[in-house]
Amino acid sequence: MNLPHDDKTCGWYAALPPPQPARRLSGSQRADYAVIGAGFAGLAAARRLAEHEPDARIVLVDAQRVGEGASGRNSGFVIDLPHKFALENPDAQFKQRLLRLNRTAIAQLQSLVDEHGIACQWSHAGKYQGAVGERGLAYLAHFEKLMAALGEPFHAVEGRELAKVLGTTHYSRAVFTSGCYLMQPAALVRGLARSLPENVELLENSAIQRVERDGLGGYVLHGADGQIHTPRLLLGTSIFTREFGYLHNRLLPVMTFASWTAPLNAAQCKRYSGTFDWGLTPADHAGTTVRMTQDRRIIIRNTYKHVPKYGRSVDDSTRESIRAEHRKAFLARFPDLADVPFTHTWGGVYAISRNFTNFFGQLEDGVFASACDNGVGAAWGTISGTLLADRAVGATSSLLDDIHAVTGMPSLNPPEPFLGIGVRTRIRLAAWNSRAEV
């Protein structure tokens, strides 16, 4: 079984104080519900189960510490709009359902941040979608047409107005949409974990290595030092869902990488001509994501790798090469900040499907899963985990109708070695075509 094997150089996680000692799985335990995966989906599922059944015992178990996995490694966007590929869907109702789901997730996270005082740089900052050259501008024009058809407000920003925000003249044009929130992802998920209801027990550094039926209609989750017996199992495991034998030939593991700088000092802040606390995604999806954080760090994210063995597929030399490419992208945008060093470079694994379809629902009797976020995990994980708990307890709602309408079965992948060759070729081709936008 391939377990999570993330690098230990995630800047978001390193910026936090050390966590309290972890509770680990040991001995034989029983739970009314077990949830595997303490990312956005698993945390939301466990919280919702506890709300539905306050007398039930709910065990949430993760192979790592909360915030060390994919949920704490993203770029810190919580996006309300349908993602790039979903936005292409010709069904207007499909896109409206996604908007409702994403905005419900944002409202839910906002409420939890406020209620529990979660310090995670939470900010209603909106989002810029930026273009550098002709290819990016063509994508941006197409995005504007899709937004107009969707009936969502946006406005174009260019020239001096754009440079005053971003502190760089690198971008020709951008489109601003106001519904996106920014945050510190590792801080957010750690705060969500600390504020779980009392009938949820969180077990960390406790990899589940095998799940089997118990012969009584339930399941036994086997870890290195203990087992969990439960009649109902919820999987918030994204790409790792396939390690438990589900959706095995339908999910593709992809890793994307980010680097960030040390916080800008006073002299560097004087040289920097932009604002603080903004985020930009590329109009061309293979381009570069850039963020300026509230604590004055600049993040550069680009480069995609097919990682069939997750973190074990990437070695130190690959990370160093990626870091060098990130440095080029940084200097192209901020040449006046050449003295600002990078302090961390990290990767994060997520699941995509060939037909860009998310899975949500029941896998077999007593087993439910939300898998394959296709790269938009914060909002999708939050709402899909919440609604998965509703599904598991038999609740009904219009939001459940929405999520069933926009999800389905990820398509089958071709066998290896054809799959790996095809994915790597497609990633290389996208990188070549988008090189001016990187």
Side-chain angles (χ1 to χ4, degrees):
M1 184 179 192
N2 290 305
L3 296 171
H5 187 76
D6 288 310
D7 54 56
K8 299 299 182 183
T9 60
C10 176
W12 295 120
Y13 194 83
L16 299 178
Q20 295 295 314
R23 287 185 178 181
R24 298 172 184 258
L25 173 61
S26 63
S28 182
Q29 300 196 28
R30 294 194 174 275
D32 297 296
Y33 296 90
V35 182
I36 303 179
F40 283 109
L43 288 163
R47 184 182 300 275
R48 186 68 152 205
L49 287 170
E51 292 169 354
H52 278 302
E53 301 194 22
D55 295 325
R57 181 168 190 255
I58 298 147
V59 173
L60 173 60
V61 59
D62 198 281
Q64 303 176 99
R65 299 304 305 267
V66 170
E68 283 187 331
S71 288
R73 291 171 173 268
N74 61 66
S75 297
F77 293 80
V78 192
I79 299 173
D80 63 330
L81 298 171
H83 199 44
K84 291 181 174 69
F85 298 109
L87 202 55
E88 299 278 353
N89 193 300
D91 183 353
Q93 182 63 21
F94 178 93
K95 290 181 277 195
Q96 290 297 332
R97 288 179 187 271
L98 282 173
L99 278 170
R100 282 195 295 271
L101 291 165
N102 289 342
R103 286 172 176 166
T104 300
I106 289 172
Q108 183 175 321
L109 289 170
Q110 174 80 70
S111 176
L112 291 169
V113 167
D114 291 342
E115 179 183 355
H116 299 289
I118 299 173
C120 61
Q121 301 182 28
W122 183 262
S123 170
H124 188 184
K127 178 176 73 70
Y128 294 86
Q129 185 149 283
V132 179
E134 289 186 9
R135 179 180 172 89
L137 288 169
Y139 273 105
L140 200 61
H142 182 56
F143 174 70
E144 291 180 84
K145 289 180 181 178
L146 293 171
M147 290 295 291
L150 190 59
E152 285 295 310
F154 65 91
H155 73 266
V157 190
E158 54 193 351
R160 265 187 177 174
E161 183 185 0
L162 183 59
K164 282 182 179 178
V165 174
L166 306 181
T168 175
T169 59
H170 186 74
Y171 291 92
S172 302
R173 196 164 187 268
V175 168
F176 178 78
T177 52
S178 63
C180 176
Y181 283 67
L182 301 178
M183 47 80 178
Q184 208 279 34
L188 176 55
V189 290
R190 189 186 282 186
L192 294 171
R194 281 198 303 266
S195 61
L196 285 168
E198 290 184 0
N199 59 324
V200 178
E201 182 173 1
L202 172 63
L203 304 175
E204 300 172 272
N205 287 342
S206 301
I208 299 301
Q209 301 171 343
R210 189 173 82 258
V211 174
E212 64 181 10
R213 289 182 176 273
D214 64 4
L216 301 172
Y219 296 86
V220 184
L221 286 55
H222 294 273
D225 300 308
Q227 304 85 36
I228 303 169
H229 299 257
T230 184
R232 283 156 293 192
L233 172 62
L234 283 70
L235 300 174
T237 43
S238 186
I239 187 61
F240 295 98
T241 306
R242 64 185 198 162
E243 298 299 325
F244 298 106
Y246 301 110
L247 308 175
H248 184 67
N249 295 315
R250 297 180 183 274
L251 306 180
L252 292 168
V254 173
M255 184 177 282
T256 186
F257 298 85
S259 296
W260 79 0
T261 66
L264 273 59
N265 61 32
Q268 292 159 350
C269 284
K270 287 183 179 179
R271 270 184 274 136
Y272 169 70
S273 58
T275 60
F276 295 94
D277 192 28
W278 54 262
L280 179 144
T281 58
D284 180 349
H285 67 272
T288 297
T289 294
V290 187
R291 266 200 67 188
M292 170 63 82
T293 67
Q294 288 184 8
D295 56 353
R296 302 183 175 185
R297 300 175 188 266
I298 296 173
I299 299 173
I300 300 290
R301 192 195 79 177
N302 60 42
T303 310
Y304 298 84
K305 298 287 183 185
H306 176 227
V307 285
K309 294 185 178 179
Y310 316 123
R312 295 186 187 278
S313 298
V314 179
D315 58 21
D316 289 341
S317 64
T318 301
R319 273 186 286 271
E320 283 302 313
S321 174
I322 291 167
R323 185 184 181 98
E325 292 302 312
H326 286 171
R327 194 68 190 171
K328 290 179 185 176
F330 172 78
L331 293 174
R333 289 160 175 80
F334 305 102
D336 292 340
L337 298 176
D339 59 327
V340 181
F342 281 167
T343 60
H344 297 83
T345 297
W346 65 93
V349 184
Y350 63 95
I352 64 172
S353 60
R354 292 173 62 238
N355 59 351
F356 300 106
T357 296
N358 303 40
F359 180 85
F360 172 91
Q362 189 165 352
L363 291 164
E364 60 176 311
D365 287 346
V367 181
F368 304 85
S370 171
C372 193
D373 58 31
N374 283 300
V376 285
W380 182 258
T382 298
I383 192 61
S384 66
T386 299
L387 294 175
L388 195 68
D390 290 352
R391 175 78 170 78
V393 303
T396 59
S397 69
S398 61
L399 286 171
L400 264 173
D401 294 340
D402 284 343
I403 201 167
H404 281 301
V406 299
T407 55
M409 183 60 72
S411 60
L412 280 168
N413 299 325
E416 293 288 4
F418 305 106
L419 175 63
I421 293 170
V423 174
R424 289 190 295 272
T425 300
R426 185 169 179 175
I427 289 174
R428 283 195 294 267
L429 180 61
W432 172 257
N433 288 336
S434 305
R435 61 194 182 280
E437 298 296 316
V438 173

